[in-house]
Amino acid sequence: MFTHYDRAHIAQLCEKAGLLQRALEHYTDLYDIKRAVVHTHLLNPECLRAMLSANIRQNLQICVQVASKYHEQLSTQSLTELFESFKSFEGLFYFLGSIVNFSQDAEVHFKYIQAACKTGQIKEVERICRESNCYDPERVKNFLKVKLQTQMGRRFNFLIFFFFSDVS
């Protein structure tokens, strides 16, 4: 009976009806998505969850941009949990990277260090550990000890002791 599903038309109808979450699920054009996202006071993290569920590869960059721009309204914690629930450490890294330099929250800094390690951004881990005073040094030290041990093996334990002996 039906042979064609016009996603763009359905998205426009949803947007006109005020169903922004459903509209964003149907839009595929970046211009349309950005236009609908302007109404973020009507959005919640579930909208981003739906976009990531629909197509994480296509929508990850847009979700990171929205999360970066509206993290205060949508809460940093809920956005961090969102990216973690999809095991998108790349998305988490880019999202937190856009706010970590302006944040005083120790959890943001720690999650950024975790995401940088999981995406192989070791230079960024070094930079944030060197330049930031906002993270819990003992927690980061313990995380990096475990991470380095699993990556390097036991024969490099002396390096771990050497690097972290002055943090405590």
Side-chain angles (χ1 to χ4, degrees), residues 31-46:
Y31 174 77
D32 292 329
I33 291 169
K34 285 182 178 181
R35 186 187 67 246
V37 167
V38 170
H39 305 290
T40 55
H41 64 282
L42 301 173
L43 296 178
N44 58 28
E46 291 305 313

Side-chain angles (χ1 to χ4, degrees), residues 99-136:
I99 65 170
V100 73
N101 293 329
F102 308 106
S103 175
Q104 299 294 318
D105 186 4
E107 189 65 22
V108 168
H109 287 255
F110 180 71
K111 292 289 186 181
Y112 182 68
I113 290 169
Q114 278 185 322
C117 282
K118 290 182 181 180
T119 57
Q121 304 290 332
I122 303 304
K123 295 283 185 196
E124 204 48 33
V125 173
E126 291 174 13
R127 183 190 71 80
I128 207 74
C129 288
R130 185 176 50 250
E131 296 175 4
S132 174
N133 296 324
C134 300
Y135 62 89
D136 178 15

Side-chain angles (χ1 to χ4, degrees):
M1 184 175 236
F2 294 108
T3 59
H4 180 67
Y5 181 73
D6 190 355
R7 292 179 66 90
H9 183 69
I10 298 297
Q12 286 175 347
L13 293 173
C14 291
E15 187 177 359
K16 286 178 184 175
L19 302 170
L20 293 178
Q21 183 170 340
R22 293 290 181 201
L24 286 172
E25 290 172 12
H26 287 85
Y27 279 135
T28 56
D29 184 39
L30 184 60
Y31 174 77
D32 292 329
I33 291 169
K34 285 182 178 181
R35 186 187 67 246
V37 167
V38 170
H39 305 290
T40 55
H41 64 282
L42 301 173
L43 296 178
N44 58 28
E46 291 305 313
C47 179
L48 297 177
R49 181 178 309 280
M51 288 178 67
L52 290 173
S53 296
N55 188 345
I56 192 165
R57 285 187 179 169
Q58 180 182 2
N59 295 331
L60 183 62
Q61 182 181 6
I62 295 166
C63 289
V64 168
Q65 289 173 353
V66 170
S68 298
K69 189 169 184 177
Y70 300 105
H71 67 93
E72 291 174 352
Q73 293 92 333
L74 299 173
S75 96
T76 304
Q77 180 182 359
S78 65
L79 292 168
T80 301
E81 291 169 0
L82 172 73
F83 287 114
E84 286 177 335
S85 71
F86 283 92
K87 294 185 176 32
S88 176
F89 298 107
E90 182 181 348
L92 184 62
F93 173 74
Y94 288 119
F95 161 58
L96 292 176
S98 68
I99 65 170
V100 73
N101 293 329
F102 308 106
S103 175
Q104 299 294 318
D105 186 4
E107 189 65 22
V108 168
H109 287 255
F110 180 71
K111 292 289 186 181
Y112 182 68
I113 290 169
Q114 278 185 322
C117 282
K118 290 182 181 180
T119 57
Q121 304 290 332
I122 303 304
K123 295 283 185 196
E124 204 48 33
V125 173
E126 291 174 13
R127 183 190 71 80
I128 207 74
C129 288
R130 185 176 50 250
E131 296 175 4
S132 174
N133 296 324
C134 300
Y135 62 89
D136 178 15
E138 191 65 33
R139 186 175 178 200
V140 171
K141 173 182 136 182
N142 292 335
F143 169 74
L144 290 176
K145 271 185 182 180
V146 171
K147 191 72 176 167
L148 287 174
Q149 281 178 342
T150 58
Q151 286 183 345
M152 293 183 184
R154 296 201 176 269
R155 66 182 210 193
F156 292 101
N157 279 341
F158 71 93
L159 286 175
I160 295 168
F161 175 76
F162 177 75
F163 284 130
F164 297 111
S165 61
D166 63 341
V167 174
S168 300

